[in-house]
Amino acid sequence: MATLEQPIAAESTVIVHFAEAAEPSIVRSQAFDVAKVPMLLQVLGLSWLIGAAISVAFVSTLLLFNVAGLKDLIVRSDVYFLAMFLLYFFNMLTFSSVSMGITIMRLPWDDDKR
C-alpha cells in the first residue's frame, strides 16, 4: 500500500497506457464540434429555439394580461407549479413543432424530371 511519501505514478501510467492502446476515445475526450453536426439538424435546432422563444413570449403575454382569468385560476390552484409547467411545456411543444414544420416545408425542392 502506498503512503504519502511513495507516489503511485508508475502504476497509474501503466493503466493509462493500457487504456490508450485498448480504446483511445475512452481516455481522450474531444470537445463537441458543431461543424460535425449535419446541417439539417442545425437548422431544425435553430427553428426549435425560435419556436420555444415565441412560445415563452406567448404564454407570458397570456399570463401578464390575465386573459380569461387564466392567471387568477393558476395562482389560486394548489398545484400552480404543475399548471405553469404544463402550460409552458405544451405550448413550447406546439410552437416548436410548427416552427420546425415550416422550416422543413420551406427547404428547396430538387425536382428531377427524368
Side-chain angles (χ1 to χ4, degrees):
M1 186 162 185
T3 62
L4 291 176
E5 292 85 22
Q6 300 172 346
I8 52 172
E11 295 172 2
S12 63
T13 55
V14 171
I15 293 170
V16 170
H17 289 304
F18 176 73
E20 285 177 357
E23 186 67 38
S25 63
I26 293 175
V27 177
R28 294 187 198 109
S29 63
Q30 297 176 354
F32 180 71
D33 191 11
V34 176
K36 291 183 180 179
V37 175
M39 183 60 82
L40 182 61
L41 291 180
Q42 290 179 11
V43 169
L44 287 177
L46 179 64
S47 64
W48 181 85
L49 286 174
I50 291 170
I54 293 171
S55 165
V56 167
F58 175 73
V59 173
S60 298
T61 304
L62 281 178
L63 294 175
L64 180 68
F65 290 117
N66 198 17
V67 175
L70 185 62
K71 183 177 83 172
D72 294 335
L73 184 65
I74 290 175
V75 168
R76 291 181 189 149
S77 172
D78 293 336
V79 287
Y80 58 92
F81 285 118
L82 180 63
M84 293 288 286
F85 171 75
L86 292 175
L87 186 64
Y88 274 102
F89 177 77
F90 284 112
N91 273 290
M92 188 177 299
L93 183 70
T94 302
F95 279 83
S96 296
S97 298
V98 168
S99 176
M100 290 170 71
I102 290 171
T103 302
I104 291 292
M105 295 300 172
R106 294 191 60 182
L107 285 176
W109 181 269
D110 187 21
D111 193 14
D112 289 336
K113 295 182 180 182
R114 297 182 196 186

